[in-house]
Amino acid sequence: MVQLEEVEDQDLDQAQTGPIDDTYDSADYEDTDSELSDDDDVAITPQESLSDRILALRDIIPPRTRRFLSSTLNTTFSASKSAAWLGGKGLWVFSTGALMLMVPFAMATVEEQQFVEQEKMEKAREGTSEIVMPGGGGQGVGSVRGL
């Protein structure tokens, strides 16, 4: 178990050094913080651009780290560029292959569907003609069946 023990600071109890008499002149003191924060008319325009500031950062980063970052970024960019190029080529091959195979298949399927619908309509017409003219007496379709 941990026990806590209070340690007193000896310097905290000593008197602070400073002027002994109370002859503090407030005229010598000027509040600069309030002047800057109170003036809304002060427009601070930077003398350097953002690119200048970014270029100045290279002095902060050691050359060894800069070389490492540069080679890492170049490798990453190169790999990304190659992956995008290969992906684009693969997508092109896939899409054109799908079009070459699927469009004729879709056209054949639609044609087959139309043919099936046409046959259904013809059967429906035959069924309605038999209902309207039943097969008796020597007329129409019924006379052929009678032979």
Side-chain angles (χ1 to χ4, degrees):
M1 180 154 194
V2 178
Q3 292 181 353
L4 297 176
E5 182 180 324
E6 183 179 357
V7 178
E8 292 185 25
D9 190 8
Q10 295 173 356
D11 294 333
L12 188 62
D13 295 335
Q14 293 179 358
Q16 294 182 356
T17 58
I20 297 175
D21 57 343
D22 241 356
T23 59
Y24 175 71
D25 188 14
S26 63
D28 293 339
Y29 176 71
E30 189 173 308
D31 186 14
T32 57
D33 290 339
S34 63
E35 282 181 14
L36 290 177
S37 62
D38 289 343
D39 289 340
D40 292 333
D41 298 333
V42 177
I44 300 174
T45 56
Q47 297 294 332
E48 53 191 280
S49 66
L50 181 62
S51 62
D52 293 336
R53 290 183 179 204
I54 291 173
L55 287 174
L57 289 176
R58 73 175 171 190
D59 296 333
I60 295 172
I61 300 171
R64 185 177 194 185
T65 307
R66 278 188 282 162
R67 280 192 302 270
F68 174 73
L69 287 174
S70 175
S71 66
T72 302
L73 288 175
N74 284 338
T75 303
T76 304
F77 178 73
S78 175
S80 299
K81 185 177 175 182
S82 297
W85 185 80
L86 286 174
K89 294 292 182 182
L91 186 62
W92 172 257
V93 167
F94 178 74
S95 62
T96 54
L99 283 174
M100 296 291 284
L101 295 174
M102 296 305 289
V103 169
F105 178 73
M107 296 288 286
T109 305
V110 168
E111 187 178 322
E112 180 69 24
Q113 186 69 26
Q114 287 175 348
F115 183 70
V116 168
E117 289 293 325
Q118 188 177 6
E119 284 182 350
K120 284 182 183 178
M121 290 177 69
E122 286 178 10
K123 287 182 181 179
R125 281 188 207 150
E126 287 178 7
T128 56
S129 66
E130 285 182 7
I131 293 173
V132 172
M133 295 189 296
Q139 296 179 7
V141 179
S143 63
V144 174
R145 289 185 181 174
L147 287 176

